[in-house]
Amino acid sequence: MTIPPYLGDHASGNMWDDLGKGAPTIMALARLCGEALGRSITPPDTLSAEACCLLYLSRERGAFEVKATDNAFDAIDRFLTVHVEIQEDEMLPIKIRGDAAATSQLFAGFCELCACGLVMHHIYRDFSLTPAGFERGQNISRQPIETLLERIAGDQAENL
């Protein structure tokens, strides 16, 4: 899977601001979602553990937000991160503190969901499950992804 390049207006004075908001990556994800929906791609039978974890966490509300903060001390806390709405007005950042490789794999799981038509883009940073994504999420068993859930949520794992 390849993510399309950022094709923004390079002469724009706002390009630096766009980069600071993760715009190129968010635009690439939106494009992946649109291409998957436009081509009516059938999701594969097997998904990565990270993609399954995201489906499991989003199975009720189906809402995602992709965002970053630019003022955190730890570099991983500045990564562009998928947030899953687990309850009304409660977003869970999908990252593992202190583990850049695992956090990157989790983001790659979201890219996987976008590319195979289980997630769609709405506006700006907002994404959601597609009907196929909701259906697939309801069929994800917690047991195989238990360890990953615990690493993401820490003390909140039993509430997920």
Side-chain angles (χ1 to χ4, degrees):
M1 163 181 59
T2 60
I3 293 181
Y6 176 59
L7 301 175
D9 180 6
H10 296 290
S12 169
N14 293 330
M15 187 172 174
W16 190 250
D17 290 334
D18 290 348
L19 290 172
K21 295 174 185 168
T25 303
I26 293 170
M27 290 172 69
L29 290 169
R31 186 171 173 188
L32 278 175
C33 290
E35 288 176 0
L37 291 173
R39 293 193 317 252
S40 298
I41 291 176
T42 302
D45 291 334
T46 304
L47 295 170
S48 68
E50 293 80 9
C52 288
C53 188
L54 286 162
L55 285 173
Y56 179 83
L57 289 169
S58 63
R59 70 193 182 282
E60 298 299 325
R61 301 201 48 90
F64 301 95
E65 187 175 358
V66 178
K67 60 184 179 177
T69 182
D70 63 354
N71 59 2
F73 179 76
D74 186 355
I76 296 170
D77 290 337
R78 293 190 306 271
F79 283 9
L80 198 58
T81 303
V82 177
H83 292 69
V84 175
E85 187 175 74
I86 55 173
Q87 293 181 23
E88 189 173 340
D89 298 325
E90 185 178 352
M91 301 294 278
L92 177 68
I94 306 302
K95 63 182 175 183
I96 298 174
R97 288 192 164 271
D99 192 336
T103 298
S104 292
Q105 278 300 122
L106 287 162
F107 197 86
F110 185 72
C111 296
E112 181 181 350
L113 296 176
C114 291
C116 72
L118 295 174
V119 167
M120 62 188 277
H121 177 255
H122 292 280
I123 60 171
Y124 302 112
R125 304 178 304 198
D126 294 327
F127 294 79
S128 78
L129 292 177
T130 61
F134 274 107
E135 182 179 333
R136 191 76 172 262
Q138 293 301 320
N139 295 316
I140 300 290
S141 172
R142 182 184 176 97
Q143 215 286 320
I145 56 171
E146 183 76 35
T147 302
L148 191 52
L149 287 171
E150 289 172 358
R151 291 190 70 203
I152 292 168
D155 295 334
Q156 298 179 1
E158 64 278 354
N159 298 326
L160 299 178

